[in-house]
Amino acid sequence: MTVAVPITHPLLELAGVRHGFFTRQGGVSTGLYAGLNVGLGSADDPAAVVENRARVARAMGGEPADLATAYQTHSADALLAGAGWDEDRPEGDAVVATTPGVICGILTADCAPILLADATAGVVAAAHAGWKGALGGIIQATVDLMKMADADPARIIAVVGPCIAQASYEVDEAFERRFLDEAPGSGRFFVLGDRPERRQFDLPGFVLWRLEQAGVGEAAWTGHDTRTDATRFYSNRRAFLNGEPDFGRMMSAIRLG
């Protein structure tokens, strides 16, 4: 059996914390979803998705019932999980836990996954930051909820996982204007595209900036571009450009204990 081995980052190699940015490798899905597709909302074989999620849970040292993954809506809603949610998933785009063994997980396929930890306070979180959530406040909401659980932003370590990189993320002028209006100073995250009316947006750079604004003590990006590496990553943008009807989702997860 192929084992699901996640990408990890040195910043999150903390005592009492376990983390991983899972790729598409190590799963049982086939065809369009070949690999470790964990997307319950995809049109993949549901039994394959269940098995893939179980593999992620076991790779994190737990069981499927320990998984706390939300029904993601690109919101700014962060949730506190005292146990796994199984099939009864609340709506939200970040999961915070203080209970050992609870696996905070979020799903992405180009959006930025963020794993956060204050090991001293015993608080971990996983956040889903697409452009809408990153602009709308999901990062601040996650840090605020961690603070309510006694985390100190200055102690929080955050790592942004594999996501779409600037060279792969073309947008229009209206997209840029929205950022300039709602997040003054964000113009640094846009460069001209191949045509005068197009721009390229630096999502991981913007997310790191938002983490800095939220007072997070230390943060980094793993440096992986999901759109350009079809062997390792699912990608919404790549699927769209290839005319594919759907795409798989990857899980990024973190837990205490």
Side-chain angles (χ1 to χ4, degrees):
M1 181 177 71
T2 305
V3 178
V5 179
I7 293 168
T8 58
H9 193 279
L11 280 183
L12 283 174
E13 298 293 344
L14 304 168
V17 175
R18 192 165 183 166
H19 80 285
F21 298 96
F22 288 84
T23 69
R24 69 182 296 175
Q25 297 174 337
V28 300
S29 293
T30 60
L32 191 66
Y33 308 97
L36 193 70
N37 173 36
V38 295
L40 294 170
S42 71
D44 193 5
D45 176 4
V49 174
V50 168
E51 171 59 23
N52 290 336
R53 290 172 68 91
R55 291 188 178 197
V56 168
R58 289 193 292 269
M60 289 294 296
E63 296 298 330
D66 299 320
L67 287 172
T69 62
Y71 182 87
Q72 297 171 193
T73 60
H74 298 276
S75 70
D77 296 327
L79 309 165
L80 184 65
W85 290 324
D86 200 18
E87 296 180 2
D88 186 21
R89 297 175 296 145
E91 290 190 8
D93 286 270
V95 182
V96 176
T98 60
T99 304
V102 175
I103 303 171
C104 300
I106 51 94
L107 277 58
T108 59
D110 281 343
C111 292
I114 314 167
L115 300 180
L116 310 94
D118 178 345
T120 300
V123 186
V124 294
H128 160 244
W131 72 264
K132 189 175 293 185
L135 183 61
I138 188 58
I139 293 165
Q140 186 66 61
T142 304
V143 173
D144 286 345
L145 187 54
M146 293 179 74
K147 286 166 61 178
M148 291 179 65
D150 294 329
D152 180 347
R155 286 196 308 255
I156 294 175
I157 301 295
V159 175
V160 182
C163 62
I164 192 166
Q166 185 167 32
S168 296
Y169 200 174
E170 188 174 71
V171 299
D172 59 22
E173 291 177 288
F175 183 102
E176 180 186 32
R177 282 197 299 273
R178 180 170 180 175
F179 273 75
L180 296 178
D181 290 342
E182 298 183 26
S186 61
R188 75 188 79 171
F189 303 107
F190 293 87
V191 296
L192 288 175
D194 293 335
R195 291 168 289 167
E197 72 278 10
R198 305 300 289 178
R199 303 289 186 270
Q200 288 176 319
F201 174 52
D202 182 3
L203 176 63
F206 182 77
V207 168
L208 289 170
W209 185 51
R210 285 301 214 200
L211 288 164
E212 179 184 348
Q213 290 179 317
V216 167
E218 193 168 4
W221 174 41
T222 64
H224 300 87
D225 183 354
T226 46
R227 190 192 70 82
T228 59
D229 191 346
T231 301
R232 300 182 78 190
F233 306 116
Y234 297 114
S235 167
N236 182 0
R237 179 62 63 99
R238 186 177 62 244
F240 172 77
L241 293 174
N242 291 343
E244 297 167 350
D246 199 8
F247 50 91
R249 283 76 163 173
M250 302 167 294
M251 191 181 296
S252 298
I254 191 167
R255 57 165 283 189
L256 293 168

